[in-house]
Amino acid sequence: MSAPHDPRADLRQQLLAQARKRRRPAPADARPADGQGHAAPPGGVAERFTRFDAHPGYQQIAMMREGARRLGLTDPFFKVHDGNAGASSVIGGRECLNFSSYNYLGFSGDERVNRAACDAVARYGTSVSASRVVSGERPIHRQLEQALASAYQAEDAVAFVSGHATNVSTLGYLLGPKDLVLHDEYIHNSTLMGAQLAGARRIAFPHDDTDALDALLTRHRHQFERVLIVIEGLYSMDGDVPDLPRFIELKRRHQAWLMVDEAHSFGVLGQHGLGLREHFRLESSAVDIWMGTLSKSLAGCGGYIAGCRALVETLRYLAPGFLYSVGLPAQVAAPALEALTLMQQEPERVARLHEISRYFLEQARDLGLDTGHSIGAAVVPVIVGSSPLAARLSHGLFEQGINVQPILYPAVPEKSARLRFFLCCDHTRQQIDTTLHTLTKMLKDASTPLDTT
């Protein structure tokens, strides 16, 4: 007997085909058409160019929502958390196990961190009300930056009001059309936008493939003035880390700069949470530009650059995202500073995070789940190989009181669609066991053939 027809497979193929479509340029003599395919009047503008609901981006969102509706799923995004989100969270009035927040060390919601925010807002108000270079400078800004520089054993650091803008503005200012950016293919969007702003040539190399990078540098280094290599300390899609010593050797040999984005690795890697350099036991000065965010382990918001004084001073005075942006609100800077201080005073938090992350990874692998190349440090994917399946699993887990986000095509290749689990130091083994038991049962049920009797 032939296998039963699954209408969901047809829908999946339709959605993928639509998502892959790219608008083809019309012939030069073609007259623009309106939203219904009719020609625009002579000298006029097609209606589809004046309506936001005709924009390709909105059309893609609408298509994905329709696909989810036809599969009987709810939108997995923009869930409203009623309070602080840690190992658990209250969503829509219901308490859930939570694996979708970056609160790795549990400092968001910590009473001491909360108190630091309250004290800062009582002293400085809710906004510094200006760019720092003009009149927005407050003591808490330099205190935070000095603490970050000390953590990195760097000469200086500068804090931006946005993590994304930190990369965009840093690359956008430091580089130009005569320069080259070589980046890991899994690099964050902020690096891509920064290179675009700079007008620099940009080339991606295969994930963590230092031989491929070496070949690119050999072929292209002499054609450019400045060359910047950009990698991440802990990749948030896969939970793996780069071979930092090898990247350092390449940047030195080819006379390039090396930038490490530590958005997810600072507070997670190393015995004391000091990031990739502690993980590999290397000197901070071996890397030219250290970048990180305040929104994850440090329980705040914004980003920072740490490095030599000349680098930091250049950015502090000239980087557009710093120069023309309001400074960090004191009630954001102060809790980040307090979290950084507590992280170094309480290394047991990092130790607990390492232990529970390894436990999750080991148990998942023992159950036959595909966790990719994760090293078991705060980020562990479970790859299921189908966007509709990942969406259904996320939906089903949420109905069982477990919040974990699906990562779907085109964010990852369709065959790599996954559930992405973020661990925090407050998760327990019992919570992990419950979650993995529920997930494996759902996967088993999803693979059971339809009844044809």
Side-chain angles (χ1 to χ4, degrees):
M1 180 183 294
S2 60
H5 176 68
D6 184 357
R8 294 175 300 193
D10 292 339
L11 176 59
R12 178 168 65 251
Q13 293 305 316
Q14 293 171 24
L15 294 177
L16 290 173
Q18 292 180 55
R20 293 188 181 107
K21 281 183 180 178
R22 295 293 183 267
R23 292 193 304 170
R24 296 182 175 87
D29 60 349
R31 181 178 297 172
D34 64 16
Q36 286 71 45
H38 302 298
V45 176
E47 185 181 5
R48 64 193 175 93
F49 296 123
T50 64
R51 294 176 49 164
F52 290 112
D53 61 359
H55 190 281
Y58 182 80
Q59 292 291 313
Q60 183 177 11
I61 293 170
M63 178 266 294
M64 293 175 67
R65 284 176 175 165
E66 173 61 16
R69 185 191 67 77
R70 291 167 65 180
L71 289 171
L73 305 175
T74 57
D75 190 335
F77 308 111
F78 292 98
K79 291 189 178 82
V80 178
H81 294 251
D82 299 337
N84 183 63
S88 62
S89 184
V90 177
I91 303 175
R94 183 167 63 109
E95 185 167 1
C96 302
L97 294 181
N98 183 41
F99 296 96
S100 294
S101 297
Y102 308 138
N103 192 6
Y104 297 135
L105 298 180
F107 283 130
S108 179
D110 183 283
E111 290 184 1
R112 298 161 296 179
V113 176
N114 290 351
R115 191 181 313 117
C118 293
D119 291 345
V121 78
R123 178 175 181 181
Y124 298 110
T126 56
S127 174
V128 300
S129 304
S131 168
R132 285 175 56 187
V133 74
V134 179
S135 59
E137 190 81 350
R138 299 295 186 272
I140 193 68
H141 293 137
R142 289 302 178 99
Q143 292 167 15
L144 173 60
E145 290 168 347
Q146 289 166 5
L148 287 166
S150 177
Y152 277 92
Q153 297 181 348
E155 290 182 354
D156 206 351
V158 58
F160 291 70
V161 75
S162 157
H164 191 277
T166 301
N167 276 343
V168 172
S169 200
T170 297
L171 272 69
Y173 182 76
L174 291 178
L175 303 174
K178 296 181 180 181
D179 302 326
L180 171 66
V181 177
L182 294 167
H183 63 83
D184 190 288
E185 64 178 331
Y186 292 169
I187 207 68
H188 192 262
N189 169 270
S190 53
T191 290
L192 307 182
M193 295 300 99
Q196 181 177 322
L197 177 64
R201 173 82 181 278
R202 178 178 64 80
I203 304 176
F205 56 86
H207 181 52
D208 205 27
D209 189 337
T210 53
D211 289 338
L213 175 61
D214 191 8
L216 285 170
L217 286 164
T218 300
R219 186 179 312 127
H220 296 290
R221 176 63 185 96
H222 66 282
Q223 302 171 12
F224 297 91
E225 293 181 353
R226 300 174 185 85
V227 172
L228 175 67
I229 303 163
V230 190
I231 58 176
E232 295 187 18
L234 176 67
Y235 287 89
S236 63
M237 285 293 180
D238 290 81
D240 59 342
V241 300
D243 182 357
L244 183 60
R246 172 69 167 146
F247 280 101
I248 291 171
E249 186 274 324
L250 288 178
K251 79 98 180 179
R252 285 174 172 165
R253 176 154 53 85
H254 291 281
Q255 296 179 291
W257 284 334
L258 176 61
M259 178 176 182
V260 180
D261 180 336
E262 289 225 279
H264 291 271
S265 53
F266 189 79
V268 171
L269 298 181
Q271 183 180 355
H272 302 92
L274 296 177
L276 194 64
R277 71 177 184 87
E278 186 181 35
H279 178 78
F280 281 104
R281 300 179 182 178
L282 296 171
E283 294 294 325
S284 171
S285 58
V287 170
D288 301 281
I289 306 173
W290 292 101
M291 180 272 173
T293 57
L294 306 174
S295 57
K296 300 173 179 66
S297 295
L298 298 185
C301 188
Y304 61 85
I305 295 290
C308 72
R309 186 162 289 106
L311 164 69
V312 172
E313 285 290 283
T314 299
L315 297 176
R316 185 175 280 130
Y317 279 89
L318 298 172
F322 184 87
L323 179 61
Y324 298 108
S325 176
V326 70
L328 279 171
Q331 71 271 20
V332 173
L337 175 59
E338 181 68 10
L340 179 56
T341 302
L342 292 171
M343 182 186 86
Q344 296 173 81
Q345 293 175 351
E346 301 175 0
E348 62 271 17
R349 287 178 180 263
V350 177
R352 291 205 312 269
L353 175 63
H354 290 174
E355 190 278 329
I356 201 65
S357 299
R358 284 194 298 268
Y359 182 77
F360 186 103
L361 182 70
E362 291 165 359
Q363 295 302 112
R365 287 178 175 171
D366 286 347
L367 291 168
L369 299 175
D370 183 358
T371 57
H373 300 291
S374 174
I375 66 168
V379 182
V380 183
V382 172
I383 300 169
V384 298
S386 158
S387 291
L389 176 58
R392 289 201 304 273
L393 290 169
S394 174
H395 176 81
L397 287 168
F398 187 66
E399 289 187 328
Q400 296 294 317
I402 301 167
N403 182 44
V404 57
Q405 289 296 105
I407 307 297
L408 315 173
Y409 177 88
V412 293
E414 174 64 10
K415 65 181 180 180
S416 297
R418 66 196 59 194
L419 299 175
R420 184 171 57 165
F421 290 85
F422 292 110
L423 286 302
C424 92
C425 67
D426 294 324
H427 280 119
T428 67
R429 290 192 172 203
Q430 182 178 356
Q431 291 171 335
I432 302 305
D433 292 342
T434 297
T435 297
L436 293 177
H437 172 76
T438 305
L439 174 58
T440 51
K441 184 177 185 303
M442 288 182 177
L443 281 167
K444 182 178 180 181
D445 292 343
S447 65
T448 300
L450 297 175
D451 187 358
T452 59
T453 59

